[in-house]
Amino acid sequence: MSVEGTIQGLHHITIVSADAQRTLDFYTHVLGQRFIKQTVNFDDPGSYHLYFGNSTGQPGSVITFFEWPGAAKGHPGIGGTHHFALQVADRDGLLKWKRRLTDLGVAVDGPLDRHYFTSIYFHDPDGTILEIATLGPGWTIDEAPEAIGTEFREPPAEMLIRNRDEARIRAETWPEPVPQITPDMALNAGMHHITAIGSDINRTQAFFGDLLGMRRVKMTNNFDDPKSAHWYWGVGDGRPGTIITYFERDPDNEPRMRMGAGQTHHFALAVPDPETQLAWRERLVKAGLRVTPVLDRVYFKSIYTNDPDGHIVELATAGPGFAVDEPQDELGHSLKLPPWLERHRAEIEGVLTPLRVPAWPLAEPAKE
Protein backbone atom coordinates (compact mmCIF):
# COMPACT_ATOMS: atom_id res chain seq x y z
CA MET A 1 0.00 0.00 0.00
CA SER A 2 1.05 3.61 -0.51
CA VAL A 3 1.96 5.54 2.63
CA GLU A 4 2.06 8.98 1.02
CA GLY A 5 0.16 11.50 3.11
CA THR A 6 -0.59 9.11 5.96
CA ILE A 7 1.37 10.89 8.69
CA GLN A 8 -1.44 12.57 10.65
CA GLY A 9 0.59 14.86 12.90
CA LEU A 10 2.10 14.65 16.35
CA HIS A 11 1.14 11.72 18.58
CA HIS A 12 3.11 12.22 21.80
CA ILE A 13 6.41 13.24 23.34
CA THR A 14 8.17 11.24 26.06
CA ILE A 15 10.47 12.96 28.56
CA VAL A 16 12.59 11.80 31.51
CA SER A 17 11.39 12.76 35.00
CA ALA A 18 13.40 12.42 38.19
CA ASP A 19 10.31 12.51 40.46
CA ALA A 20 6.93 11.17 39.32
CA GLN A 21 4.85 12.94 41.98
CA ARG A 22 6.50 16.29 41.33
CA THR A 23 5.83 15.91 37.61
CA LEU A 24 2.24 14.86 38.27
CA ASP A 25 1.61 17.90 40.46
CA PHE A 26 3.08 20.34 37.94
CA TYR A 27 1.32 19.11 34.81
CA THR A 28 -2.07 18.76 36.50
CA HIS A 29 -2.28 21.55 39.09
CA VAL A 30 -0.17 24.15 37.29
CA LEU A 31 -0.87 23.40 33.60
CA GLY A 32 -4.30 21.83 33.95
CA GLN A 33 -3.49 18.67 32.01
CA ARG A 34 -5.48 15.52 32.67
CA PHE A 35 -3.55 12.58 34.10
CA ILE A 36 -4.74 9.92 31.67
CA LYS A 37 -2.65 6.84 32.41
CA GLN A 38 -0.65 5.49 35.33
CA THR A 39 1.43 2.59 34.15
CA VAL A 40 5.04 1.42 33.94
CA ASN A 41 7.72 1.55 31.30
CA PHE A 42 6.99 -1.70 29.47
CA ASP A 43 10.72 -2.07 28.76
CA ASP A 44 11.67 -1.31 32.39
CA PRO A 45 8.65 -2.31 34.53
CA GLY A 46 10.22 -1.24 37.81
CA SER A 47 9.66 2.43 36.90
CA TYR A 48 6.62 4.59 36.20
CA HIS A 49 5.40 5.71 32.79
CA LEU A 50 3.00 8.62 33.26
CA TYR A 51 0.71 10.02 30.55
CA PHE A 52 -0.96 13.45 30.44
CA GLY A 53 -3.22 14.98 27.81
CA ASN A 54 -6.62 16.43 27.14
CA SER A 55 -9.77 14.84 28.54
CA THR A 56 -9.58 11.78 26.27
CA GLY A 57 -5.83 11.60 25.58
CA GLN A 58 -6.28 12.45 21.92
CA PRO A 59 -3.13 11.92 19.81
CA GLY A 60 -1.25 15.19 19.63
CA SER A 61 -2.25 16.16 23.17
CA VAL A 62 -0.22 13.49 24.94
CA ILE A 63 2.86 14.22 27.06
CA THR A 64 4.43 11.20 28.73
CA PHE A 65 7.22 10.70 31.26
CA PHE A 66 9.56 7.88 32.15
CA GLU A 67 10.42 8.22 35.82
CA TRP A 68 14.12 7.65 36.49
CA PRO A 69 14.16 8.37 40.24
CA GLY A 70 16.87 10.82 41.21
CA ALA A 71 18.25 11.03 37.66
CA ALA A 72 20.85 13.71 37.01
CA LYS A 73 19.76 16.51 34.73
CA GLY A 74 20.36 15.99 31.06
CA HIS A 75 21.43 18.66 28.57
CA PRO A 76 20.03 19.55 25.14
CA GLY A 77 22.23 19.18 22.08
CA ILE A 78 22.51 17.59 18.68
CA GLY A 79 20.37 14.48 18.49
CA GLY A 80 17.94 15.75 21.11
CA THR A 81 14.89 17.93 21.53
CA HIS A 82 15.23 21.60 22.43
CA HIS A 83 11.63 22.20 23.59
CA PHE A 84 8.00 21.42 22.93
CA ALA A 85 5.09 23.83 22.63
CA LEU A 86 1.46 23.70 23.70
CA GLN A 87 -1.15 25.78 21.90
CA VAL A 88 -3.45 28.52 23.12
CA ALA A 89 -5.90 30.45 20.97
CA ASP A 90 -4.69 34.04 21.23
CA ARG A 91 -2.50 36.64 22.91
CA ASP A 92 -4.89 37.28 25.79
CA GLY A 93 -4.74 33.60 26.74
CA LEU A 94 -0.96 33.74 26.46
CA LEU A 95 -0.70 36.75 28.78
CA LYS A 96 -2.97 35.05 31.29
CA TRP A 97 -0.58 32.11 31.28
CA LYS A 98 2.36 34.42 31.88
CA ARG A 99 0.63 35.99 34.88
CA ARG A 100 -0.52 32.64 36.28
CA LEU A 101 2.91 31.02 35.99
CA THR A 102 4.74 34.06 37.35
CA ASP A 103 2.41 34.25 40.36
CA LEU A 104 3.14 30.56 41.01
CA GLY A 105 6.87 31.28 41.10
CA VAL A 106 7.67 29.96 37.61
CA ALA A 107 10.11 32.17 35.66
CA VAL A 108 8.71 33.11 32.24
CA ASP A 109 10.41 34.55 29.14
CA GLY A 110 8.27 36.49 26.69
CA PRO A 111 5.84 37.09 25.17
CA LEU A 112 8.06 36.89 22.09
CA ASP A 113 6.80 37.64 18.60
CA ARG A 114 7.83 34.72 16.38
CA HIS A 115 6.14 36.29 13.31
CA TYR A 116 4.03 33.17 12.70
CA PHE A 117 2.86 32.98 16.33
CA THR A 118 3.56 34.60 19.70
CA SER A 119 4.89 32.56 22.61
CA ILE A 120 6.18 32.37 26.16
CA TYR A 121 8.82 29.99 27.55
CA PHE A 122 9.35 28.42 30.96
CA HIS A 123 10.75 25.24 32.54
CA ASP A 124 9.10 22.33 34.28
CA PRO A 125 10.60 21.06 37.58
CA ASP A 126 13.15 18.88 35.75
CA GLY A 127 14.27 21.68 33.45
CA THR A 128 12.35 20.74 30.31
CA ILE A 129 11.78 23.85 28.19
CA LEU A 130 8.08 24.39 27.51
CA GLU A 131 6.58 26.93 25.17
CA ILE A 132 2.98 28.07 24.93
CA ALA A 133 2.26 29.41 21.43
CA THR A 134 -0.71 31.16 19.84
CA LEU A 135 -2.49 29.68 16.84
CA GLY A 136 -1.77 32.59 14.51
CA PRO A 137 -1.16 34.53 12.47
CA GLY A 138 0.28 31.47 10.69
CA TRP A 139 2.60 30.62 7.81
CA THR A 140 0.87 32.74 5.17
CA ILE A 141 1.86 36.03 6.77
CA ASP A 142 4.88 36.16 4.43
CA GLU A 143 4.12 33.51 1.78
CA ALA A 144 1.12 32.54 -0.32
CA PRO A 145 -0.73 29.41 0.91
CA GLU A 146 0.35 27.32 -2.05
CA ALA A 147 3.99 28.43 -1.72
CA ILE A 148 4.73 28.07 1.99
CA GLY A 149 8.12 26.55 2.68
CA THR A 150 9.45 27.03 -0.84
CA GLU A 151 11.71 30.03 -0.24
CA PHE A 152 13.93 31.21 2.60
CA ARG A 153 12.35 33.94 4.71
CA GLU A 154 14.58 36.31 6.66
CA PRO A 155 13.30 36.86 10.21
CA PRO A 156 12.01 40.42 10.80
CA ALA A 157 14.87 42.43 12.25
CA GLU A 158 12.87 43.72 15.23
CA MET A 159 12.17 40.14 16.34
CA LEU A 160 15.81 39.10 16.53
CA ILE A 161 17.38 38.78 19.94
CA ARG A 162 19.71 41.78 19.45
CA ASN A 163 16.91 44.16 18.50
CA ARG A 164 14.02 43.28 20.81
CA ASP A 165 12.62 45.68 23.40
CA GLU A 166 13.45 43.48 26.37
CA ALA A 167 12.13 45.89 29.01
CA ARG A 168 8.72 46.05 27.32
CA ILE A 169 8.61 42.27 26.94
CA ARG A 170 9.41 41.67 30.61
CA ALA A 171 6.71 44.12 31.71
CA GLU A 172 3.94 42.79 29.49
CA THR A 173 1.54 40.52 31.36
CA TRP A 174 -2.13 40.12 32.28
CA PRO A 175 -3.16 42.91 34.68
CA GLU A 176 -4.93 40.69 37.22
CA PRO A 177 -4.09 37.42 39.02
CA VAL A 178 -5.23 34.22 37.27
CA PRO A 179 -5.77 31.68 40.09
CA GLN A 180 -7.81 29.35 37.88
CA ILE A 181 -7.39 28.24 34.27
CA THR A 182 -10.12 29.97 32.27
CA PRO A 183 -11.65 28.38 29.15
CA ASP A 184 -9.75 30.70 26.80
CA MET A 185 -6.41 29.56 28.26
CA ALA A 186 -7.10 25.83 28.50
CA LEU A 187 -4.36 23.77 26.87
CA ASN A 188 -6.72 21.01 25.77
CA ALA A 189 -5.95 21.45 22.06
CA GLY A 190 -2.60 19.78 22.68
CA MET A 191 0.82 20.42 21.27
CA HIS A 192 1.64 23.21 18.85
CA HIS A 193 5.04 21.90 17.77
CA ILE A 194 8.17 20.04 18.84
CA THR A 195 11.60 21.54 18.17
CA ALA A 196 14.71 19.35 17.93
CA ILE A 197 18.38 20.01 17.16
CA GLY A 198 20.21 18.67 14.12
CA SER A 199 23.57 19.14 12.45
CA ASP A 200 22.58 19.30 8.76
CA ILE A 201 19.24 20.85 7.84
CA ASN A 202 19.25 19.40 4.32
CA ARG A 203 19.76 15.92 5.71
CA THR A 204 16.86 16.56 8.10
CA GLN A 205 14.75 17.63 5.11
CA ALA A 206 15.61 14.35 3.39
CA PHE A 207 14.26 12.47 6.43
CA PHE A 208 11.07 14.39 7.29
CA GLY A 209 10.29 15.82 3.89
CA ASP A 210 11.46 13.27 1.33
CA LEU A 211 11.18 10.02 3.30
CA LEU A 212 8.29 10.70 5.70
CA GLY A 213 6.45 12.91 3.22
CA MET A 214 5.83 15.81 5.58
CA ARG A 215 5.40 19.23 4.02
CA ARG A 216 8.09 21.82 4.63
CA VAL A 217 6.11 24.86 5.73
CA LYS A 218 8.85 27.36 6.57
CA MET A 219 12.56 27.98 5.98
CA THR A 220 13.95 30.71 8.21
CA ASN A 221 16.61 31.28 10.87
CA ASN A 222 16.43 30.92 14.63
CA PHE A 223 15.25 34.28 15.97
CA ASP A 224 17.44 33.78 19.07
CA ASP A 225 20.48 32.51 17.13
CA PRO A 226 20.25 34.13 13.68
CA LYS A 227 23.19 32.17 12.24
CA SER A 228 21.30 28.92 12.84
CA ALA A 229 18.80 27.63 10.27
CA HIS A 230 15.30 26.91 11.57
CA TRP A 231 13.03 24.85 9.32
CA TYR A 232 9.48 23.61 9.95
CA TRP A 233 7.63 20.55 8.64
CA GLY A 234 3.94 19.76 9.04
CA VAL A 235 0.87 18.11 7.58
CA GLY A 236 -1.54 19.69 5.10
CA ASP A 237 -1.45 23.45 5.57
CA GLY A 238 0.90 23.06 8.55
CA ARG A 239 -1.74 23.33 11.23
CA PRO A 240 -0.57 23.44 14.86
CA GLY A 241 -0.36 19.93 16.28
CA THR A 242 1.37 18.58 13.18
CA ILE A 243 4.58 20.60 13.33
CA ILE A 244 8.17 19.38 13.79
CA THR A 245 10.88 22.04 13.66
CA TYR A 246 14.68 21.75 13.75
CA PHE A 247 17.47 24.12 14.70
CA GLU A 248 20.63 23.45 12.67
CA ARG A 249 23.74 23.66 14.86
CA ASP A 250 27.43 23.28 14.03
CA PRO A 251 28.61 19.90 15.40
CA ASP A 252 32.04 21.40 16.07
CA ASN A 253 30.50 23.88 18.52
CA GLU A 254 27.33 22.18 19.76
CA PRO A 255 27.62 19.13 22.04
CA ARG A 256 25.59 15.97 21.63
CA MET A 257 22.44 15.72 23.72
CA ARG A 258 23.08 14.21 27.15
CA MET A 259 20.17 12.06 28.29
CA GLY A 260 18.84 12.67 31.79
CA ALA A 261 16.05 14.39 33.69
CA GLY A 262 14.33 17.05 31.61
CA GLN A 263 15.39 15.62 28.26
CA THR A 264 13.21 14.03 25.62
CA HIS A 265 13.61 10.28 25.23
CA HIS A 266 11.64 10.23 21.96
CA PHE A 267 8.76 11.83 20.14
CA ALA A 268 6.06 10.13 18.09
CA LEU A 269 4.18 10.89 14.91
CA ALA A 270 0.67 9.50 14.41
CA VAL A 271 -0.38 7.04 11.71
CA PRO A 272 -3.99 5.90 11.34
CA ASP A 273 -3.80 2.12 11.78
CA PRO A 274 -1.56 -0.96 12.08
CA GLU A 275 -1.69 -1.69 8.34
CA THR A 276 -0.31 1.73 7.50
CA GLN A 277 2.30 1.34 10.22
CA LEU A 278 3.54 -1.92 8.69
CA ALA A 279 3.80 -0.24 5.31
CA TRP A 280 5.84 2.53 6.90
CA ARG A 281 8.10 -0.03 8.51
CA GLU A 282 8.76 -1.63 5.14
CA ARG A 283 9.56 1.76 3.61
CA LEU A 284 11.97 2.68 6.40
CA VAL A 285 13.74 -0.68 6.20
CA LYS A 286 14.13 -0.29 2.43
CA ALA A 287 15.67 3.12 3.05
CA GLY A 288 18.37 1.40 5.12
CA LEU A 289 17.25 2.67 8.51
CA ARG A 290 17.23 0.79 11.79
CA VAL A 291 13.60 0.05 12.64
CA THR A 292 12.23 -1.93 15.56
CA PRO A 293 9.58 -4.62 15.18
CA VAL A 294 6.02 -3.50 15.88
CA LEU A 295 5.67 -3.21 19.67
CA ASP A 296 2.35 -3.47 21.49
CA ARG A 297 1.98 -0.49 23.82
CA VAL A 298 -1.66 -1.50 24.66
CA TYR A 299 -2.99 2.02 23.95
CA PHE A 300 -1.30 2.11 20.53
CA LYS A 301 1.23 0.12 18.53
CA SER A 302 4.69 1.51 17.89
CA ILE A 303 7.74 1.28 15.68
CA TYR A 304 10.91 3.24 16.40
CA THR A 305 13.64 4.56 14.17
CA ASN A 306 16.14 7.45 14.33
CA ASP A 307 16.49 10.77 12.57
CA PRO A 308 19.86 11.45 10.86
CA ASP A 309 21.36 12.75 14.12
CA GLY A 310 20.20 9.79 16.20
CA HIS A 311 17.07 11.24 17.84
CA ILE A 312 14.53 8.45 18.45
CA VAL A 313 11.43 8.95 16.31
CA GLU A 314 8.37 6.75 16.81
CA LEU A 315 5.45 6.10 14.49
CA ALA A 316 2.44 5.27 16.67
CA THR A 317 -1.07 4.23 15.73
CA ALA A 318 -3.98 6.49 16.60
CA GLY A 319 -5.75 3.75 18.59
CA PRO A 320 -7.11 1.86 20.35
CA GLY A 321 -6.72 4.65 22.93
CA PHE A 322 -6.50 5.07 26.70
CA ALA A 323 -9.97 3.81 27.63
CA VAL A 324 -9.13 0.29 26.46
CA ASP A 325 -8.37 -0.89 30.03
CA GLU A 326 -10.33 1.50 32.28
CA PRO A 327 -13.45 3.67 31.98
CA GLN A 328 -13.00 7.15 30.51
CA ASP A 329 -14.01 8.86 33.77
CA GLU A 330 -11.45 6.86 35.78
CA LEU A 331 -8.39 7.45 33.61
CA GLY A 332 -5.15 7.66 35.58
CA HIS A 333 -6.54 6.75 38.99
CA SER A 334 -5.04 3.28 39.34
CA LEU A 335 -1.94 1.47 38.16
CA LYS A 336 -2.56 -0.30 34.87
CA LEU A 337 -0.26 -3.05 33.64
CA PRO A 338 -0.16 -4.81 30.28
CA PRO A 339 -1.47 -8.39 30.34
CA TRP A 340 2.02 -9.89 30.20
CA LEU A 341 3.08 -8.02 33.38
CA GLU A 342 -0.09 -8.54 35.40
CA ARG A 343 1.29 -11.65 37.13
CA HIS A 344 4.13 -9.49 38.47
CA ARG A 345 1.81 -6.82 39.92
CA ALA A 346 2.71 -7.38 43.57
CA GLU A 347 6.43 -7.19 42.81
CA ILE A 348 6.03 -4.08 40.65
CA GLU A 349 3.83 -2.27 43.16
CA GLY A 350 6.40 -3.08 45.84
CA VAL A 351 9.06 -0.95 44.16
CA LEU A 352 6.86 1.98 43.07
CA THR A 353 6.02 4.91 45.33
CA PRO A 354 2.20 5.34 45.34
CA LEU A 355 1.00 8.50 43.62
CA ARG A 356 -1.46 11.12 44.87
CA VAL A 357 -3.76 11.56 41.88
CA PRO A 358 -6.02 14.64 41.65
CA ALA A 359 -9.68 14.43 40.72
CA TRP A 360 -10.66 15.35 37.18
CA PRO A 361 -11.65 17.99 36.45
CA LEU A 362 -9.56 19.74 39.06
CA ALA A 363 -11.81 20.95 41.84
CA GLU A 364 -9.56 23.62 43.32
CA PRO A 365 -7.37 26.45 42.06
CA ALA A 366 -3.75 25.46 41.58
CA LYS A 367 -1.49 25.95 44.55
CA GLU A 368 2.20 26.68 44.46
Side-chain angles (χ1 to χ4, degrees), residues 186-299:
L187 301 175
N188 52 19
M191 285 185 282
H192 186 284
H193 64 269
I194 295 171
T195 294
I197 303 174
S199 61
D200 184 329
I201 204 70
N202 289 296
R203 193 171 60 169
T204 304
Q205 160 65 26
F207 180 77
F208 286 101
D210 301 339
L211 181 59
L212 295 185
M214 298 181 72
R215 183 182 186 183
R216 186 176 61 205
V217 297
K218 198 61 60 179
M219 292 187 290
T220 185
N221 284 340
N222 184 341
F223 291 15
D224 301 328
D225 180 13
K227 294 181 180 179
S228 169
H230 188 187
W231 289 15
Y232 298 69
W233 294 266
V235 172
D237 60 359
R239 66 186 182 279
T242 74
I243 301 294
I244 296 289
T245 97
Y246 269 70
F247 297 150
E248 181 186 54
R249 298 283 172 79
D250 181 352
D252 291 332
N253 297 314
E254 179 83 7
R256 294 280 308 174
M257 180 272 292
R258 185 177 71 244
M259 186 57 70
Q263 289 303 298
T264 299
H265 185 273
H266 63 273
F267 61 76
L269 302 172
V271 297
D273 50 54
E275 294 74 24
T276 306
Q277 185 182 64
L278 284 172
W280 271 114
R281 187 177 188 280
E282 182 179 357
R283 179 167 178 163
L284 294 169
V285 169
K286 286 183 176 178
L289 298 183
R290 179 203 71 86
V291 190
T292 67
V294 174
L295 298 173
D296 185 358
R297 300 313 195 188
V298 178
Y299 316 110

